[in-house]
């Protein structure tokens, strides 16, 4: 999940590399670095800094190296602590070859032992450094494509790296296996990056490196090879993303801005889905007849997207009256796989790059089963590698903690469940339209509730609740996966310890944790039966003097009477209860983290796009 960028061209590289890195900082912000071949001496120069990109900017002001060929990196640590020495780029013994890398080289220990026995000296604890030393060793004896192919064949794992060096001073080398890497084709200049966003707006043409290939990128052109050293045809596409630079727009954090962008995001997602009403199966790579015969859907996701999938499961089962199975991407890949008929696999991913989810898609695809991705990023690897796709229109999400991606995923899943039911003849066109109206109503409520409670959260509730270090989150039925999402949000941005349980499980053990230093949040539902059960669960807490904060719906007085504090949400379609509560829940945890002074947009240890397993 590190960010890799490179440049070769008539201009000096540093300005692009730094701009590209700032766009890719969502991939990691433990440290950053820049290396170039000096424009006068052609010697390799390298500057690195621990911490966020701004530290590298400052370091480069003191050592303003630059050249027409350069690479840069923003790191999310996998191997080796966060430190200056472990920051990329890494160099070989002669300090003439430099590498930036995203992914994991799984056999780095064996390679390191072998290289050390041959006399190479390592400086860092990273897996990446072996690549620099391999380049040092091999390029002495064979042609550049042969050398690179031989290096690539030795490396195990999923990786994307970029390399420059004095022995091949007119080129940036770009090598890809598993992890994404692309090349922006400019006029007399070429860009290399982990994500097309890095050079969006600077060129219209992009080459997504096919898996297990490498490119020798020169100012005048690009040569593509497979790992056997055979030349491959270069296929370019138009760049389809743009970089929006409207900043925080007056908000203190991107997360807050994005919380308030949700209503528009849901509107935009729904307009897009309505616009593909008639062609949706084609876009999902399916025939209408297959949809009519569908017997089940499997949903795959990680983190927040997994929570969206779990809520989506209720949509599919309740609206389409067929089973939906939800799998957690990081687990599914290593479980036995049973191919089912009349089923398809829907991967849900904001970024479309999450390695756990992408690897599941690849696994499913190898079995011949049908794959579809629901993502916010049309240019993502998942869109390119699955049989079909659907988009959310949340707009660029910058804050690491997902907000508008989640609510637009819920909106898209709700629409999809209704669209499948319509195709199967289970609902009418009128009912489909009403479902869309319910979605828009929920989006309205999502925003209005924040406004309603804004002042009391900011002035009283967040300062009060910020003192607690431990929390219990409870939900039941459709509000359980929502409670999981709420507890994840609190953990990510405030670092408070939050444990989430299905409310009915409380009495089976976690009730031992009920105490006055651990607030318990209950998320209610609009299902009358589940609501009654939740009242009993709330009573179990109160009987032990627990502190209850309740998210309930209007009229749920019996439950509300048990609350120490409460948020009351207007009625919506029962399946859309979680969506209606989303904004308020996010705003509440955001304000707690803000009181605590946490770095909300870039929480410690996290990265936005998790492209390693
Ligand atoms: O891009 P994806 O939706 O595939 O990302 C999945 C998770 O990594 C992501 O949702 C993560 O849990 C977020 N930090 C949640 O806020």
């Amino acid at each position: 999940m590190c960010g890799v960028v490179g440049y070769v061209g008539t201009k000096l590289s540093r300005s692009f590399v730094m701009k590209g890195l700032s766009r890719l900082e969502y991939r990691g912000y433990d440290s950053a670095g820049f290396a170039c071949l000096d424009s006068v001496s052609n010697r390799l120069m390298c500057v690195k800094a621990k911490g966020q990109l701004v530290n590298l900017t400052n370091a480069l002001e003191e050592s303003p190296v630059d050249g027409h060929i350069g690479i840069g990196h923003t790191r999310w640590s996998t191997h080796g602590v966060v430190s200056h020495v472990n920051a990329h780029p890494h160099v070989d013994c002669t300090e003439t070859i430099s590498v930036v890398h995203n992914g994991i080289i799984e056999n780095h220990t064996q390679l390191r032992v072998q290289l050390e026995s041959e006399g190479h000296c390592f400086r860092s604890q990273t897996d990446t450094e072996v690549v620099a030393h391999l380049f040092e060793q091999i390029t002495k004896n064979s042609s550049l494509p042969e050398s690179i192919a031989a290096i690539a064949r030795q490396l195990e794992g999923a990786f994307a790296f970029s390399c420059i060096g004095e022995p091949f001073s007119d080129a940036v080398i770009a090598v890809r296996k598993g992890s994404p890497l692309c090349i922006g084709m400019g006029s007399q200049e070429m860009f290399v990056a982990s994500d097309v966003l890095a050079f969006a707006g600077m060129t219209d043409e992009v080459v997504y490196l096919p898996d297990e290939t490498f490119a020798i990128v020169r100012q005048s052109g690009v040569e593509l090879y497979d790992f056997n050293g055979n030349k491959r045809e270069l296929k370019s596409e138009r760049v389809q993303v743009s970089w929006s630079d409207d900043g925080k727009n007056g908000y203190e954090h991107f997360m807050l801005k994005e919380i308030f962008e949700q209503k528009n995001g849901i509107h935009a997602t729904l307009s897009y889905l309505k616009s593909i009403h008639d062609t949706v199966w084609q876009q999902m790579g399916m025939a209408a007849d297959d949809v009519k015969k569908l017997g089940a859907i499997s949903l795959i996701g990680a983190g927040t997207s997994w929570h969206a999938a779990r809520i989506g499961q209720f949509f599919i089962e309740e609206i389409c009256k067929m089973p939906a199975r939800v799998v957690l991407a990081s687990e599914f890949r290593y479980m036995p796989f049973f191919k089912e008929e009349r089923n398809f696999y829907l991967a849900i991913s904001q970024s479309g790059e999450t390695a756990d989810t992408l690897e599941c898609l690849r696994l499913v695809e190898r079995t011949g089963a049908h794959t579809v991705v629901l993502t916010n990023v049309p240019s993502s690897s998942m869109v390119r590698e699955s049989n079909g796709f659907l988009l959310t229109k949340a707009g660029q999400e910058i804050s690491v903690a997902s907000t508008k991606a989640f609510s637009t995923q819920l909106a898209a899943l709700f629409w999809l469940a209704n669209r499948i039911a319509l195709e199967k003849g289970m609902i009418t066109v009128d009912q489909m339209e009403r479902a869309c109206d319910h979605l828009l109503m929920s989006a309205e409520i999502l925003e209005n509730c924040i406004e309603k409670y804004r002042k009391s959260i900011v002035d009283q509730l967040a300062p009060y609740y910020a003192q607690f270090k431990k929390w219990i989150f409870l939900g039941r039925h459709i509000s359980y996966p929502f409670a999981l999402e709420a507890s994840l949000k609190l953990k990510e941005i405030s670092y408070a310890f939050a444990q989430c349980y299905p409310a009915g499980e409380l009495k089976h053990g976690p009730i031992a944790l009920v105490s006055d230093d651990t607030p318990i949040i209950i998320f209610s539902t609009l299902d009358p039966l589940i609501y009654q059960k939740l009242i009993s669960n709330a009573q179990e807490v109160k009987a032990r003097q627990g502190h209850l904060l309740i998210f309930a719906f209007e009229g749920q007085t019996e439950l509300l009477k048990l609350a120490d504090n409460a948020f009351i949400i207007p009625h919506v379609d029962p399946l859309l209860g979680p969506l209606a509560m989303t904004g308020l829940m996010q705003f509440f945890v955001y304000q707690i983290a803000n009181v605590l002074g946490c770095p909300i947009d870039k929480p410690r240890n996290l990265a936005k796009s998790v492209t390693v397993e």
Side-chain angles (χ1 to χ4, degrees):
M1 45 221 233
C2 306
V4 166
V5 295
Y7 176 91
V8 51
T10 46
K11 298 183 194 134
L12 290 171
S13 60
R14 195 175 90 201
S15 146
F16 163 70
V17 168
M18 293 307 287
K19 186 184 272 188
L21 289 183
S22 72
R23 294 180 179 189
L24 298 192
E25 214 187 356
Y26 72 85
R27 299 176 77 92
Y29 35 83
D30 291 343
S31 58
F34 168 68
C36 64
L37 294 176
D38 182 82
S39 50
V40 180
S41 65
N42 227 18
R43 298 297 310 273
L44 184 78
M45 302 288 175
C46 187
V47 176
K48 323 198 266 193
K50 188 178 156 187
Q52 296 191 11
L53 192 59
V54 62
N55 297 349
L56 178 62
T57 308
N58 296 338
L60 281 165
E61 265 162 32
E62 284 182 21
S63 313
V65 301
D66 213 344
H68 297 279
I69 293 190
I71 51 177
H73 190 262
T74 168
R75 180 172 188 240
W76 184 83
S77 320
T78 58
H79 293 67
V81 295
V82 178
S83 67
H84 185 275
V85 79
N86 285 335
H88 298 215
H90 290 286
V91 292
D92 68 323
C93 297
T94 63
E95 298 187 25
T96 60
I97 296 167
S98 171
V99 180
V100 288
H101 159 229
N102 169 40
I104 295 178
I105 296 177
E106 286 171 0
N107 59 335
H108 73 103
T109 309
Q110 298 97 292
L111 290 170
R112 190 178 182 121
V113 169
Q114 179 198 318
L115 286 159
E116 280 174 339
S117 73
E118 289 163 6
H120 290 264
C121 290
F122 280 74
R123 298 172 181 85
S124 76
Q125 300 143 2
T126 64
D127 53 338
T128 308
E129 199 182 332
V130 295
V131 180
H133 293 281
L134 286 172
F135 264 85
E136 175 188 359
Q137 205 180 40
I138 295 179
T139 48
K140 282 175 190 157
N141 308 321
S142 42
S143 79
L144 191 56
E146 280 169 7
S147 302
I148 302 167
I151 291 169
R153 285 197 302 271
Q154 286 187 64
L155 303 174
E156 288 168 16
F159 51 80
F161 64 82
S162 199
C163 177
I164 57 173
E166 293 176 27
F168 39 93
S169 62
D170 62 343
V172 176
I173 311 297
V175 184
R176 169 183 184 210
K177 183 181 171 199
S179 306
L181 204 57
C182 56
I183 301 166
M185 313 277 286
S187 152
Q188 293 302 304
E189 59 180 356
M190 303 286 169
F191 313 91
V192 174
S194 315
D195 183 334
V196 64
L197 258 189
F199 50 77
M202 299 173 210
T203 173
D204 283 344
E205 202 184 346
V206 56
V207 172
Y208 291 99
L209 281 196
D211 204 22
E212 303 203 17
T213 63
F214 65 87
I216 301 177
V217 185
R218 297 190 173 90
Q219 179 185 315
S220 52
V222 177
E223 289 166 20
L224 184 70
Y225 298 88
D226 65 23
F227 283 3
N228 291 318
N230 301 315
K231 223 166 175 178
R232 293 265 306 255
E233 194 194 339
L234 208 61
K235 288 190 185 132
S236 68
E237 300 172 26
R238 279 189 73 76
V239 173
Q240 283 180 356
V241 294
S242 55
W243 172 256
S244 82
D245 233 346
D246 56 353
K248 292 186 199 143
N249 217 0
Y251 289 93
E252 199 172 344
H253 293 99
F254 280 106
M255 182 174 174
L256 189 60
K257 173 175 172 250
E258 288 161 5
I259 287 172
F260 281 101
E261 284 171 348
Q262 297 187 96
K263 185 173 130 186
N264 283 348
I266 294 169
H267 276 256
T269 301
L270 192 58
S271 306
Y272 150 79
L273 291 168
K274 282 180 167 177
S275 76
I276 58 161
H277 180 99
D278 294 336
T279 53
V280 59
W281 310 131
Q282 202 180 324
Q283 181 158 324
M284 287 170 61
M286 300 166 79
D289 270 352
D290 296 338
V291 178
K292 288 192 178 85
K293 287 185 218 141
L294 260 185
I297 299 180
S298 301
L299 304 158
I300 311 171
T304 290
S305 296
W306 179 62
H307 300 149
R310 294 195 56 168
I311 294 173
Q313 176 180 27
F314 287 88
F315 299 164
I316 293 161
E317 295 192 341
E318 299 271 343
I319 300 168
C320 312
K321 308 285 180 233
M322 66 179 178
R325 187 168 62 121
V326 181
V327 295
L328 187 56
S330 54
E331 288 291 314
F332 177 64
R333 213 186 142 194
Y334 302 100
M335 308 289 263
F337 181 82
F338 304 102
K339 193 173 166 195
E340 293 156 48
E341 297 305 318
R342 302 192 299 122
N343 181 21
F344 75 90
Y345 285 80
L346 180 66
I348 302 172
S349 173
Q350 185 283 131
S351 61
E353 299 294 347
T354 301
D356 289 323
T357 312
L358 185 56
E359 288 302 332
C360 287
L361 265 185
R362 288 172 179 159
L363 179 148
V364 171
E365 232 160 61
R366 282 196 291 274
T367 68
H370 192 79
T371 58
V372 179
V373 60
L374 171 64
T375 181
N376 199 33
V377 184
S379 60
S380 60
S381 302
M382 285 187 208
V383 170
R384 285 196 303 282
E385 294 191 29
S386 55
N387 301 124
F389 68 96
L390 277 184
L391 297 175
T392 49
K393 295 280 178 181
Q396 208 165 305
E397 192 181 65
I398 294 191
S399 175
V400 166
S402 207
T403 53
K404 57 181 183 168
F406 174 69
S407 49
T408 53
Q409 284 168 348
L410 294 188
L413 288 166
F414 186 75
W415 182 87
L416 180 63
N418 279 282
R419 185 65 188 86
I420 292 171
L422 180 67
E423 196 63 51
K424 282 173 160 283
M426 300 167 76
I427 62 167
T428 62
V429 173
D430 274 0
Q431 284 171 309
M432 174 92 208
E433 275 167 19
R434 240 174 292 139
C436 294
D437 293 344
H438 285 301
L439 261 182
L440 295 179
M441 248 183 278
S442 307
E444 198 67 33
I445 290 171
L446 176 156
E447 192 167 291
N448 290 348
C449 284
I450 308 178
E451 293 305 339
K452 177 174 166 196
Y453 288 104
R454 186 199 278 261
K455 193 164 162 33
S456 65
I457 289 177
V458 172
D459 294 349
Q460 293 147 26
L461 296 172
Y464 171 71
Y465 282 108
Q467 66 178 302
F468 294 102
K469 305 273 179 290
K470 297 177 288 175
W471 293 73
I472 294 174
F473 284 67
L474 300 177
R476 236 182 141 126
H477 193 253
I478 199 167
S479 77
Y480 171 54
F482 182 71
L484 282 171
E485 171 59 10
S487 78
L488 175 67
K489 244 13 12 128
L490 181 74
K491 280 181 272 216
E492 282 185 301
I493 63 168
S494 78
Y495 314 146
F497 186 87
Q499 186 70 291
C500 180
Y501 294 100
E505 281 297 295
L506 194 66
K507 59 187 177 296
H508 294 294
I511 201 159
L513 299 172
V514 174
S515 73
D516 55 10
D517 65 350
T518 309
I520 297 179
I521 300 197
I522 292 186
F523 296 97
S524 185
T525 78
L526 282 158
D527 180 305
L529 181 63
I530 309 295
Y531 168 63
Q532 285 306 323
K533 301 288 166 198
L534 274 173
I535 294 172
S536 309
N537 301 138
Q539 270 158 349
E540 290 160 9
V541 174
K542 284 323 285 179
R544 288 154 185 90
Q545 285 86 47
H547 178 100
L548 271 185
L549 169 61
I550 299 183
F551 283 65
F553 293 94
E554 280 171 358
Q556 297 190 325
T557 42
E558 210 178 331
L559 182 62
L560 285 164
K561 267 192 228 145
L562 299 167
D564 293 281
N565 279 305
F567 298 116
I568 304 172
I569 288 111
H571 277 230
V572 287
D573 176 317
L575 289 173
L576 294 174
L579 183 61
M581 282 179 179
T582 293
L584 191 56
M585 172 278 280
Q586 295 162 340
F587 185 78
F588 174 65
V589 299
Y590 164 85
Q591 292 299 345
I592 290 177
N594 207 23
V595 169
L596 294 170
C598 297
I600 292 176
D601 286 332
K602 289 179 186 161
R604 72 180 179 209
N605 305 337
L606 301 187
K608 179 105 190 120
S609 178
V610 187
T611 60
V612 291
E613 271 195 80

